[in-house]
Structures are given as C-alpha cells and as structure tokens.
Amino acid sequence: MSLPRTAPRHPPVEGWRRPSSRVGPVMPLLGSTSLCVAPGPVKARQRGAALLLAMLTVTLVATLASAALWQQWRARVVETAERQRVQAGWMLTGALDWSRLILREDERNNQTRGDADHLGEPWAMPLEEARLSTFLAADRNNNTDELLPAFLSGEVRDQQSRLNFLNLVRRNGSGAQANAVVSEPDREAFERLYQQLNLPPAELDAAIEALRLTLLRSTQDTQPSPTALPPTRLEQLAWLGISRTSLAALAPHVTLLPEPTKVNLNTASAEVLGAVLPDLSLADAQSLVIGRARDPWRQLNDVARTLPALNGRLQPERHDVRSRYFEVRGRLRLDDVVIEERSLVVRNGLQVRVLWRERFTSQ
C-alpha cells in the first residue's frame, strides 16, 4: 500500500513568521522596498521655520505700514506749517498795507488842513490783540467757524521822534574828493543823551570815529573796506563798538535812517527833547510833553510860545513837527506760534514806500 505524497518541507526562513489569523496590522516582509522613518524631529523643524518666516513677514509688514503712516503724518505736518506760513505772510502784508493807507490819508489831511504829526492821530493808536475774524465783513458768505484761530496786533512808530545816528557824520563830495565830517550839533545832542542815560562817553567817541572812517572808505575806496559795512539797523551799531547794554538803553531814543532827518518835537520823548534842545532841563522837557498832549504843535513857533525860553534855539533844519519815516510792527499769533514783522516805510507826499521788511518767529 502506497502512502500519499506530500509537499516537501523546507526549513523556515529567518525572520519569517506564520501569518496570524487575527485581523491586525501586517508588518512588511523581508525584501520590501518601502522603509518607515520616524517623522517627529523633521516636522518640528519645519513647523519652527514656518513660524519664524511668518513672524518675519508680520514684522516687515508692520515696519512698512509704520513708515507709510509716518510719511503721511510728516507730509501733513509740513503742509500745515507751510499753509500757516503763507497765510501769516498774507495777513501781515495786509496789516502793512492797512498801515500805509492810514499814513497816506493822514498826509492828505496834513496837506488840506495844515495839520502836524502828533501822538493823538489815528496812526499813533496801537492795535491791541484782537481775533482776526472780527475784521471780516459780517455777511452770509463768511463762515468764521472754519477759520484758523488767529490774533493780530500791531503799532506804528514815528522814527523821526528819535535821534538819527547817521546824522552824526555828513558826507560831502564824491569819488576821490569825497569827505566825511562829524556834525557838531548832532554830536552834542548825542553827548547830552549819553549823559542822561549814564552811558560811557568814550564809547560814543569811538563809535563816531568808526562811523566816519566807514562812510569815508565806502565813498572813496574802490577796494573792499577793511572796516565794517555802514549799519542800517540799530542792533548793527555793535559793529561800531557800542555794547549791548548801551544798545538796550538807546533803543527807545535812537534810530538809523538812510538820510539826515529832523526830530519831530510833537512825538519825541522827554529825553530826546532834552538832547536836541540845548539848555533844556529834563523837567522842562516833561512839561513840554504834557502840554503838547493837550494841544499838539502845528508849527515850530507854537513850541516857542509854549516855552518862551526856547526862542532863538529852534532850528528849522534840525527841528520839525512833521515826520516822513515810520516803523510798522505787526504781530500775528497762530495757536502757540507767534510771527512778528517789522517794516520801515517812508512817506513822500501821498506815496508811502516800504524800504525794508524783516520777519521773525517765536514760541
């Protein structure tokens, strides 16, 4: 009897395991081409790089946005400042034109009625600070609520109420024949003013000599002068050696005008009256100031009638009761910024011309 043939049995291969009958995960057999790698460290690094890139992107966007906002804010500030500057310039120009109109009408009255220039006239009344909108016409087309809050003030000062420092030296001739001579009457007037203000007379002598040399060389020499240029503003008298203390004391009584001028006795201070009228005490000068406030002088003879001691001492070439040179001061306040302007005008008949203007800003 023959036995049934069975399949040959082979030895088990290392690593081989009989499949289980239970359902579960099947491990790959030996020889499979796919391998499992632990995903933890790689994915963590990828997540960190993505987070860092996102943070850098947010930072860049925030920086660009901040720069754009700053540029916009700066442009707005510059535009606002420029608009205020232009508006202030036009407002101060309007105030100057207004002052010129007042001086022109005053000269018209002087010509038609023979009036003199004194401190009781409209041009001599200072304008106290007032809101600019109050000067606008009250009509339906003007909306004052939309206007920038601006406050305007100003005044007109008679420059011939002061001693003209350039009167001290008179120039004669031209070219090589030119000469600069010290005016003795004007020098005596300045010496009396220095004495009243307790200022050093040696300083005045040195300044007069420096002014004479400056004017002489500017007239004769074709080459640049080694001395200072002729001063045109009061503060420029420091070029001639006058100290700051002296300038502060002289400021209410001294000016610099481009030509020899007379002193208006109607508007001069008591110190100036005592300086330009010889042998006039300060007490008599105060009496003249009080008297002219009640009854301004229309002619030089009226001054002598007020104080008979002045008979024979009034000189038409040095004294007057009318003026041609005026200083116009305007002050505009915009919020916390103050803009001031100072102008020198000369009146020749009905023509009022601006000689120079300067503007400065303060907080």
Side-chain angles (χ1 to χ4, degrees):
M1 182 176 182
S2 62
L3 296 174
R5 299 180 62 181
T6 58
R9 302 188 61 172
H10 298 282
V13 180
E14 184 179 357
W16 177 87
R17 187 176 57 178
R18 181 183 298 274
S20 174
S21 59
R22 294 177 300 175
V23 178
V26 178
M27 299 298 293
L29 299 177
L30 182 65
S32 176
T33 57
S34 61
L35 298 177
C36 290
V37 181
V42 175
K43 290 187 177 180
R45 288 195 296 268
Q46 291 177 350
R47 285 196 297 268
L51 181 60
L52 180 60
L53 181 61
M55 293 177 62
L56 291 176
T57 303
V58 172
T59 303
L60 179 61
V61 171
T63 302
L64 294 177
S66 300
L69 290 175
W70 182 84
Q71 289 287 350
Q72 184 179 6
W73 171 82
R74 183 176 180 274
R76 182 176 180 181
V77 170
V78 171
E79 180 184 359
T80 302
E82 182 65 16
R83 184 173 66 251
Q84 289 184 357
R85 185 188 67 82
V86 174
Q87 290 178 349
W90 282 110
M91 293 174 188
L92 292 174
T93 300
L96 176 60
D97 291 340
W98 185 22
S99 302
R100 292 171 58 195
L101 179 62
I102 294 176
L103 291 173
R104 184 174 182 270
E105 293 303 313
D106 177 72
E107 177 62 20
R108 192 189 303 275
N109 293 334
N110 293 347
Q111 293 180 2
T112 57
R113 298 186 300 194
D115 294 340
D117 295 315
H118 55 85
L119 298 179
E121 294 187 299
W123 63 263
M125 303 300 174
L127 175 65
E128 299 297 335
E129 187 176 78
R131 192 180 180 91
L132 190 61
S133 59
T134 60
F135 297 96
L136 300 178
D139 58 68
R140 66 184 65 182
N141 296 325
N142 287 330
N143 187 2
T144 59
D145 296 335
E146 299 178 358
L147 294 177
L148 185 69
F151 298 86
L152 181 66
S153 61
E155 61 179 335
V156 178
R157 298 178 179 179
D158 181 11
Q159 291 301 288
Q160 290 186 231
S161 65
R162 307 177 181 188
L163 295 177
N164 185 3
F165 197 86
L166 295 184
N167 281 3
L168 287 166
V169 178
R170 306 297 176 96
R171 286 183 284 190
N172 302 319
S174 60
Q177 306 299 324
N179 192 16
V181 181
V182 178
S183 173
E184 290 301 327
D186 291 288
R187 182 180 193 136
E188 293 173 358
F190 269 88
E191 288 176 348
R192 287 192 288 268
L193 180 62
Y194 258 68
Q195 184 178 4
Q196 292 177 9
L197 300 177
N198 295 320
L199 299 178
E203 179 185 78
L204 175 63
D205 295 336
I208 294 175
E209 182 61 19
L211 178 63
R212 188 187 71 82
L213 292 176
T214 299
L215 296 179
L216 181 62
R217 290 177 178 176
S218 65
T219 304
Q220 288 184 345
D221 295 348
T222 57
Q223 299 298 325
S225 175
T227 59
L229 295 174
T232 58
R233 306 284 198 279
L234 182 65
E235 56 271 14
Q236 294 174 355
L237 289 179
W239 299 352
L240 305 178
I242 297 182
S243 64
R244 291 186 178 181
T245 303
S246 299
L247 285 176
L250 293 172
H253 314 295
V254 176
T255 186
L256 277 87
L257 300 176
E259 63 177 330
T261 54
K262 306 175 184 180
V263 174
N264 187 343
L265 302 181
N266 261 330
T267 58
S269 63
E271 290 80 3
V272 173
L273 290 177
V276 299
L277 299 175
D279 301 327
L280 182 68
S281 65
L282 191 58
D284 291 338
Q286 292 286 358
S287 299
L288 288 177
V289 171
I290 296 174
R292 78 185 183 193
R294 296 191 301 264
D295 186 15
W297 303 311
R298 298 170 65 93
Q299 298 177 354
L300 281 180
N301 295 334
D302 297 338
V303 183
R305 283 196 292 269
T306 303
L307 190 63
L310 295 178
N311 280 324
R313 288 190 285 175
L314 297 176
Q315 304 173 12
E317 65 275 9
R318 300 184 63 239
H319 308 135
D320 204 349
V321 291
R322 292 180 176 84
S323 301
R324 295 175 51 240
Y325 286 91
F326 300 87
E327 182 185 75
V328 179
R329 287 179 172 263
R331 184 177 184 271
L332 185 66
R333 181 165 61 88
L334 297 170
D335 197 9
D336 58 343
V337 177
V338 176
I339 304 174
E340 299 186 45
E341 184 176 87
R342 185 175 62 169
S343 308
L344 180 67
V345 301
V346 57
R347 184 174 63 183
N348 294 315
L350 296 180
Q351 181 184 10
V352 183
R353 183 166 55 94
V354 179
L355 297 182
W356 53 259
R357 297 173 63 182
E358 63 178 3
R359 186 177 301 168
F360 44 94
T361 305
S362 59
Q363 294 292 337

